[in-house]
């Protein structure tokens, strides 16, 4: 294998997030078509696949970003046993990279944060980032084009998140609370640091907060970050990073043959030794995930690891950065700019190999001036990355505390 192809293969490994990438799953929609329910071959959305069978009211919403991406939002306005039509305090849930909003919906009503919030009286909204299964449409671009995928997570900060927050606020006449996981926390932190959402959200709960990545300990993630350089786009020939494409899966197989590479339990090898994540939860997860993202986003995350700072996308060439930013190096996101009175809840785990405690410590250092009455920090020594969204014990260990935090600022 050539050096360039080896780098590409190493980079691709991150997208698996699990040991059975080829397992049965609901296929992502492209070209604007809705995904199909495999059981009866009829069009289905996230509501029909998950919430409705559990007995929850669920609505499908669309919001168009300023740059033309058509994003999907699911809304669970009340719990299964709610009496009356009154709506509670809205909460917006934001997923991480290479997954979509289904991660908040696929566990049981006793374990999924979305259902737990709805049953506790909240009006729950679930975001789906551009390029994922339910958000693959654009007003003028086809999702098979390179132009469609020409974005990084900077664009989620500037476009997706503000547009979704505005949509929820408009439809509820209230400021929502926010819950993010993994890259969903990064987008929120970057937005808050630039003052974009400070006056539009009531508070933010950040599960496995990702800002700095320099201390990431997962060998797979480190291999990715070192390999994911600018030429990856030309090596793969596409700007879309699709984990289930034939080219990607072939490269993964090639990489797994390399001596010393572990491919038998990539959930553990990539995210850490999860404490209360059982096999059945992983099996359900694999029916719906992973999801595509842009190759540019993957490069941007690798830059965050390699450079040790949180900054906008680096185009490498100083003249290109000058054209984009008016300076030769990309501007940094200064987390200490988050207003000290904005309510924050941060929860992280001691076994997390992606959001490493040392990197969370750097973020907390940036937040040292935060009003102590407005920030709650929860450290769970035994938790790893996926425990916070799929763990069977997350309700008792995390979600109840999140709800108590929200209730303080309603």
């Amino acid at each position: 294998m050539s050096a360039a192809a080896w780098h590409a293969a190493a980079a691709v490994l991150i997208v698996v997030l699990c040991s059975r990438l080829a397992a049965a799953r609901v296929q992502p929609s492209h070209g604007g078509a809705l995904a199909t329910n495999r059981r009866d071959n009829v069009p289905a959305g996230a509501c029909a696949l998950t919430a409705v069978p559990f007995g929850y009211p669920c609505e499908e919403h669309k919001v168009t970003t300023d740059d033309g991406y058509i994003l999907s939002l699911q809304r669970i306005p009340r719990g299964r046993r709610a009496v009356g039509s009154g709506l509670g305090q809205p909460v917006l849930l934001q997923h991480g990279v290479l997954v979509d909003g289904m991660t908040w919906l696929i566990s049981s009503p006793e374990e999924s944060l979305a259902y737990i919030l709805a049953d506790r009286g909240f009006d729950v909204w679930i975001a789906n980032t551009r390029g994922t299964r339910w958000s693959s449409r654009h007003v003028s671009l086809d999702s098979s084009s390179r132009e469609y995928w020409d974005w990084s997570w900077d664009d989620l900060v500037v476009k997706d998140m503000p547009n979704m927050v505005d949509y929820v606020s408009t439809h509820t006449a209230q400021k929502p609370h926010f819950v993010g996981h993994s890259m969903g926390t990064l987008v929120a932190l970057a937005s808050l640091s630039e003052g974009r959402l400070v006056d539009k959200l009531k508070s933010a709960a950040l599960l496995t907060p990702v800002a700095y990545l320099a201390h990431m300990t997962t060998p797979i993630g480190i291999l990715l970050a070192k390999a994911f350089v600018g030429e990856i786009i030309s090596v793969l020939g596409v700007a879309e990073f699709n984990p289930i494409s034939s080219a990607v899966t072939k490269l993964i197989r090639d990489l797994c043959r390399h001596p010393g590479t572990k491919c038998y339990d990539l959930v553990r090898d990539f995210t850490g030794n999860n404490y209360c994540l059982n096999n059945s939860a992983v099996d359900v997860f694999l029916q719906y995930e992973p999801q595509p993202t842009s190759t540019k986003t993957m490069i941007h995350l690798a830059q965050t690891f390699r450079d040790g700072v949180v900054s906008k996308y680096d185009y490498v060439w100083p003249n290109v950065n000058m054209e984009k930013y008016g300076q030769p190096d990309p501007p940094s996101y200064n987390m200490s700019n988050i207003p000290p009175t904005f309510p924050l809840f941060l929860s992280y785990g001691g076994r997390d190999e992606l959001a490493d405690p040392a990197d969370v410590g750097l973020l907390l250092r940036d937040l040292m001036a935060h009003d102590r009455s407005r920030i709650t920090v929860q450290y769970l020594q035994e938790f790893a990355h996926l425990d916070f969204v799929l763990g069977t014990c997350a309700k008792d260990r995390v979600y109840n505390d999140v709800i108590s935090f929200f209730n303080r600022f309603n």
Side-chain angles (χ1 to χ4, degrees), residues 181-365:
H181 177 251
S182 193
M183 195 179 77
T185 70
L186 174 60
V187 172
L189 287 164
S191 296
L192 291 168
S193 75
E194 294 190 328
R196 298 180 183 278
L197 299 174
V198 171
D199 296 327
K200 296 184 177 183
L201 293 174
K202 280 199 168 182
S203 72
L206 310 176
L207 310 182
T208 69
V210 171
Y212 301 95
L213 291 171
H215 295 89
M216 181 173 61
T217 57
T218 166
I220 296 171
I222 293 171
L223 182 62
L224 161 78
K226 291 181 176 179
F228 223 128
V229 290
E231 63 265 22
I232 292 299
I233 290 179
S234 60
V235 171
L236 294 179
V238 292
E240 173 190 5
F241 197 83
N242 188 346
I244 64 166
S245 68
S246 58
V248 170
T249 54
K250 181 180 184 301
L251 287 171
I252 292 170
R253 287 195 299 270
D254 289 342
L255 178 61
C256 288
R257 297 189 186 103
H258 188 265
T261 302
K262 297 179 180 179
C263 291
Y264 60 89
D265 188 359
L266 291 179
V267 167
R268 176 172 178 170
D269 295 338
F270 182 68
T271 66
N273 185 14
N274 290 280
Y275 175 66
C276 57
L277 180 67
N278 60 35
N279 290 334
S280 62
V282 174
D283 289 340
V284 173
F285 174 79
L286 291 175
Q287 293 180 35
Y288 300 99
E289 312 294 359
Q291 293 293 309
T293 189
S294 67
T295 306
K296 197 171 176 181
T297 287
M298 302 301 287
I299 293 172
H300 195 179
L301 291 171
Q303 291 172 352
T304 304
F305 166 79
R306 292 197 306 265
D307 299 341
V309 296
V310 189
S311 64
K312 295 182 184 294
Y313 185 83
D314 188 353
Y315 289 89
V316 180
W317 299 103
N319 60 317
V320 180
N321 283 333
M322 282 292 297
E323 179 182 344
K324 297 288 185 179
Y325 308 123
Q327 58 188 64
D329 297 311
S332 296
Y333 290 105
N334 188 348
M335 298 303 164
S336 63
N337 286 340
I338 298 174
T341 57
F342 182 84
L344 290 174
F345 178 99
L346 296 86
S347 185
Y348 65 109
R351 295 181 180 179
D352 195 332
E353 296 189 0
L354 286 173
D356 187 271
D359 285 322
V360 178
L362 294 176
L363 172 61
L364 293 175
R365 182 193 62 188

Side-chain angles (χ1 to χ4, degrees), residues 83-110:
V83 178
S85 58
L87 298 177
Q89 168 64 42
V91 181
L92 177 64
L93 308 185
Q94 176 63 63
H95 61 82
V97 69
L98 297 173
V99 295
D100 64 359
M102 295 290 279
T103 55
W104 302 110
L105 294 166
I106 55 179
S107 297
S108 72
E110 293 73 34

